[in-house]
Amino acid sequence: MSRDTVCIIDPIHPAGVERIGAGADLILPEGWQDHPRLGDTTVIVIRTTEIGEALFARMPELRLIVKHGAGVDNIDIPAATARGVMVANTPGGNNSTAVAEGAVSLMLALLRQSREMDDLVRSGRFAERWKIRLGDLTGAKVGLIGFGRIARCVATICGKGFGCEVAAYDPFMTDDAIRAEGVEPMGLDAIMARDVISIHTPLTDGTRGLIGARELALMPAHGVIVNCSRGGIVDEAALVSALKAGTIAGAGIDVFAAEHPPADHPLFALPNAILSPHVAGVTENGMKDMALNCAAVIETVAAGGVPATLLNPEAR
């Protein structure tokens, strides 16, 4: 049996590279586009780079795309399917916990005004502490948009760790299934009226622009919103307007409609926005786990099996 040629387009944890390389020839991220063996590629491992028909046409032997992580909005799955190329992702595991922790860390940073408190000390305004009243996550009403693996981890941290009243909106889950997790099901408008909102839905045609000016107007003035899912779910222009007007207290944004965002992005100038570069899941354990899961998917297919996370079974 000939060895696979695996093109790792975006950097992954060395443990995954080592495991994949034990059974396949590798094309590594640096200079992959001009690699002399690119046409021999049978497997792609990818994180955030956008790929579609133009690349597939350069890889006539391609039969599998493995997404490092859950979201696959950067992969043209219909084009892959038309060529008989399987697409599988690697959700769950340590990555779910890592992203959940990232979301909760943004909640706490907003409520405790971590950015502003750091500036008070650095700028010699220590005495202003007497005028400050910070927010509490303990006992807060938390609303989750989407209730997949990551959202369920957030619900556990907030509910069991902070005694929050957690509710969730997910039109693809029954109310009974949500209640079984100790979480109250609610409609989107009711979720937007809660103290803390955290977004955990994939980016699809149905969720693009899901949170716009109308939805943000439903938030209380003390409310904060966190997005560690995908840019494009929140209308960034509407979010900027709400933050500028003070109709919401703050936003924690780990993902952007364009990554990376332009240098003049209006969110950069707002003190009530805390920003991070799509790294909520980028922890040592999370990255290692996902990389090893990518290797496991490749091994399953090489052995003639079907990965449990196959997204387009019609491509087989």
Coordinates of all heavy atoms in Angstrom, one line a residue, residues 114-129 132:
S114 N -11.2 44.4 33.7 CA -9.8 44.1 33.8 C -8.9 45.1 33.0 O -7.9 45.5 33.5 CB -9.5 42.7 33.4 OG -10.2 41.7 34.2
R115 N -9.3 45.4 31.8 CA -8.6 46.3 31.0 C -8.5 47.7 31.7 O -7.4 48.3 31.8 CB -9.2 46.4 29.6 CG -8.5 47.4 28.7 CD -9.2 47.3 27.3 NE -8.7 48.3 26.4 CZ -9.1 48.5 25.2 NH1 -10.1 47.8 24.7 NH2 -8.7 49.5 24.5
E116 N -9.6 48.2 32.1 CA -9.7 49.5 32.8 C -8.9 49.5 34.1 O -8.3 50.5 34.4 CB -11.1 49.9 33.0 CG -11.9 50.1 31.7 CD -12.7 48.9 31.3 OE1 -12.1 47.7 31.5 OE2 -13.8 49.0 30.7
M117 N -9.0 48.4 34.9 CA -8.3 48.4 36.2 C -6.8 48.4 36.0 O -6.1 49.0 36.7 CB -8.8 47.2 37.0 CG -10.3 47.2 37.3 SD -10.8 48.7 38.2 CE -11.6 49.6 36.8
D118 N -6.4 47.7 35.0 CA -4.9 47.7 34.7 C -4.5 49.1 34.3 O -3.4 49.6 34.8 CB -4.7 46.7 33.5 CG -3.2 46.7 33.1 OD1 -2.5 45.9 33.8 OD2 -2.8 47.4 32.2
D119 N -5.3 49.8 33.5 CA -4.9 51.2 33.1 C -4.9 52.1 34.3 O -4.1 53.1 34.4 CB -5.9 51.7 32.1 CG -5.5 53.0 31.5 OD1 -4.4 53.2 31.0 OD2 -6.3 54.0 31.7
L120 N -5.8 51.9 35.3 CA -5.8 52.8 36.5 C -4.5 52.7 37.2 O -3.9 53.8 37.6 CB -7.0 52.4 37.4 CG -8.4 52.8 37.1 CD1 -9.3 52.3 38.3 CD2 -8.5 54.3 36.9
V121 N -4.0 51.5 37.4 CA -2.7 51.4 38.1 C -1.6 52.0 37.3 O -0.8 52.7 37.8 CB -2.5 49.9 38.4 CG1 -1.1 49.7 39.1 CG2 -3.6 49.3 39.3
R122 N -1.5 51.6 36.0 CA -0.4 52.1 35.2 C -0.4 53.6 35.0 O 0.7 54.1 34.8 CB -0.5 51.4 33.8 CG -0.2 49.9 33.9 CD -0.4 49.2 32.5 NE -0.3 47.8 32.6 CZ 0.8 47.1 32.5 NH1 1.9 47.7 32.3 NH2 0.7 45.7 32.6
S123 N -1.5 54.2 35.0 CA -1.6 55.7 34.8 C -1.6 56.5 36.1 O -1.9 57.7 36.1 CB -2.8 56.0 34.0 OG -4.0 55.6 34.6
G124 N -1.4 55.8 37.2 CA -1.3 56.5 38.5 C -2.6 57.0 39.0 O -2.6 58.0 39.8
R125 N -3.7 56.3 38.7 CA -5.0 56.8 39.2 C -5.6 55.8 40.2 O -6.7 55.5 40.2 CB -5.9 56.9 38.0 CG -5.5 58.0 37.0 CD -6.5 58.2 35.8 NE -6.4 57.1 34.9 CZ -7.4 56.4 34.5 NH1 -8.7 56.7 34.9 NH2 -7.3 55.4 33.7
F126 N -4.7 55.3 41.0 CA -5.0 54.2 42.0 C -6.2 54.6 42.9 O -7.1 53.8 43.2 CB -3.8 53.9 42.8 CG -3.8 52.5 43.4 CD1 -3.2 51.5 42.8 CD2 -4.4 52.3 44.7 CE1 -3.2 50.2 43.3 CE2 -4.4 51.0 45.2 CZ -3.8 50.0 44.5
A127 N -6.2 55.9 43.3 CA -7.2 56.3 44.2 C -8.7 56.3 43.7 O -9.6 56.3 44.4 CB -6.9 57.7 44.7
E128 N -8.8 56.2 42.3 CA -10.1 56.1 41.7 C -10.8 54.8 42.1 O -12.0 54.6 41.8 CB -10.0 56.3 40.2 CG -9.6 57.7 39.8 CD -9.6 57.8 38.3 OE1 -10.4 57.1 37.6 OE2 -8.9 58.7 37.8
R129 N -10.1 53.9 42.7 CA -10.8 52.6 43.0 C -12.0 52.7 43.9 O -12.9 51.9 43.9 CB -9.8 51.7 43.7 CG -9.2 52.2 45.0 CD -8.1 51.4 45.6 NE -7.6 52.0 46.8 CZ -6.9 51.4 47.7 NH1 -6.7 50.1 47.6 NH2 -6.4 52.0 48.7
I132 N -15.4 52.8 42.1 CA -15.6 51.7 41.2 C -16.6 50.7 41.8 O -16.4 50.3 42.9 CB -14.3 51.1 40.7 CG1 -13.5 52.0 39.9 CG2 -14.5 49.8 40.0 CD1 -12.1 51.6 39.7

